[in-house]
Amino acid sequence: MHSWTDTLRFAFQPVVNLRTGAVAALETLARPETGDVLAEARRDPELDGTLTVLALRAAARKETLLPLHLNVFAATLADLGGLTPLHDAVRAAGRLPWEVTLDIVPPYTHVPQRALLEAVAVLREQGFRISADGIGDGDVPLRLLTDLSPDLVKLDASLLARPAAVRAMRTLCEELGALVAVEGVETELQCAAALAAGAQLAQGELFAPPARIPAADVYVPSLAPAAVTVSRSGPSVREFVRPAAVLPLTASAGQVRALLTGSPDVSGVLLVDPAGRPVRSVHRSRFLLSMSGRYGHALYADRPAFKLGDAPRTVGVDATAWQVLDVVAVGGRDRTSDDVAVVDEHGRCVGVVRLADLVRALAESRVEEAAGLNPLTRLPGSDAIVSEVDRRISDGRAFTLSWLDIDHFKQINDGAGFAAGDELIRAVGGALQQAVAGHARVGHIGGDDFLVLADEEALHPLVTAVLDASWAAGGRPVTLSVATVVCGPGSVSDHHQAAAQLAPLKKAAKALNGASWVLGRAGFPGHEVRRGSPGPAPAAAPAGYAAAEPRW
């Protein structure tokens, strides 16, 4: 009598890191030759649990280095309270639980949420990682998604036509400490859209279709550096994590050599304790050089490999790329090419990062940043400020936006000359940079106009420092004007509205005598004069410019 397992086969599809172009993991997909065992598994939790174990065993036979993704229905976890057989199967296959991510698959309707969350807590305690699958095309409630606090959120490719939704999910995932992946990517345009919207991982036919044998190579289109979003503190190390080659601390030098010679892309091996914490790091070149020397194999083959390793360099999963470089900078120059182990809050290895990946991304971010700098002040232009304003609005964070310019600047240029005018602009830009001291963002948006984005508590000392300074050009005293709009959560919907709120405040500041500062609040009438005294009405501006929205 034939069993349904006789006609069950599995296919493997890579999960690709969009930053490095490397395969980050391997998803195992059930592909029955007859019948619809997946539909049955949706109704039968025991069957679904069995399928997950079989998928793990199939993947273990094909792949021993890459992390694995296994699918399981949400209802299965809620009904079974976890997957004890899977934990046993992982150990039997010689893998570690934190090398396995469980993709929790919809539907979620009628699934007892408390039971699901309790089951996920059990799986986490065992070391498994959790992914929320089918987001955007499934029925997962947003509240449940946040309660699950997944390590990875997989978005349906249909959301790429709604980039605002993908960006919003990226913001949510940053709060949850999760990565964003896009499934079903079929075209280069979709790939570019996924990266531009902030996704770190992707899978789909574009990179490699599901296959009976794991793909040795994947196709990743070349994408312009400008498509990569980089925060001021530097990109997160999570975006560069590659799978780690790990062996137990008890491994012999011969076992390490066999792994390295059989896997030419592996640059090093981490020796971990039973809990998965890195204890020693074996660098490929130094190790093989020791083994290839005279009597090297005879001396070392059967000896513990840790004697040929070094103390591992580690960073937490929340580190930035710049912090990784700080780690690399400490120690001997002979170790600058070593992989850096990335560990979770329990010290367990979740992967490695390579120095080359970090240097390439940081160099690209610097090129992108430099392209947007004003050549006179070397300050970013309006794009950087606009992006940060929209990000704060989307996050529901309060902020202040200030417009600063030099009073009667045209007369300064006409009377003292453009060189004196340029020197004054550079001086004001430098003073603003020094005054913000990391507490705000300054942009030079052209001519004598500057934008300052700051939290309200940092605003007063910043503006006071600039207005209290003595300014002159060509021997003539110069004053500055500042207009500030305070935007509370929900008071403006985007940077256009913030600019519109700022325009009349700037007009009010320019109507005052001397150094001036006017402050208003978005959504409230009137304004407060913090500096300056009333003066005669200014000369009329050309029609259409008096109260025009600032051009960023």
Side-chain angles (χ1 to χ4, degrees), residues 468-543:
D468 284 349
S470 296
W471 300 103
R476 304 177 183 183
V478 173
T479 58
L480 309 179
S481 294
V482 179
T484 298
V485 60
V486 180
C487 299
S491 62
V492 290
S493 61
D494 58 22
H495 70 270
H496 294 289
Q497 282 196 7
Q501 295 276 342
L502 193 54
L505 299 175
K506 181 188 178 187
K507 181 181 178 182
K510 300 300 287 186
L512 299 173
N513 281 330
S516 62
W517 181 18
V518 167
L519 181 142
R521 296 185 180 273
F524 292 89
H527 59 264
E528 172 190 352
V529 176
R530 293 196 167 186
R531 286 285 187 96
S533 57

Side-chain angles (χ1 to χ4, degrees), residues 175-200:
E175 293 292 327
L176 298 175
L179 294 178
V180 177
V182 177
E183 297 183 288
V185 175
E186 297 181 351
T187 67
E188 294 192 10
L189 283 177
Q190 285 183 318
C191 182
L195 189 56
Q200 295 107 340

Side-chain angles (χ1 to χ4, degrees), residues 24 292 351 538:
S292 62

Side-chain angles (χ1 to χ4, degrees), residues 346-369:
H346 302 293
R348 301 178 303 209
C349 178
V350 301
V352 296
V353 289
R354 293 181 180 176
L355 181 62
D357 291 336
L358 299 183
V359 171
R360 186 181 305 113
L362 292 174
E364 289 172 351
S365 72
R366 283 295 179 257
V367 170
E368 178 188 355
E369 181 181 316

Side-chain angles (χ1 to χ4, degrees), residues 39 184 218 241 383 389:
V218 295
V241 173
D383 288 348
V389 166

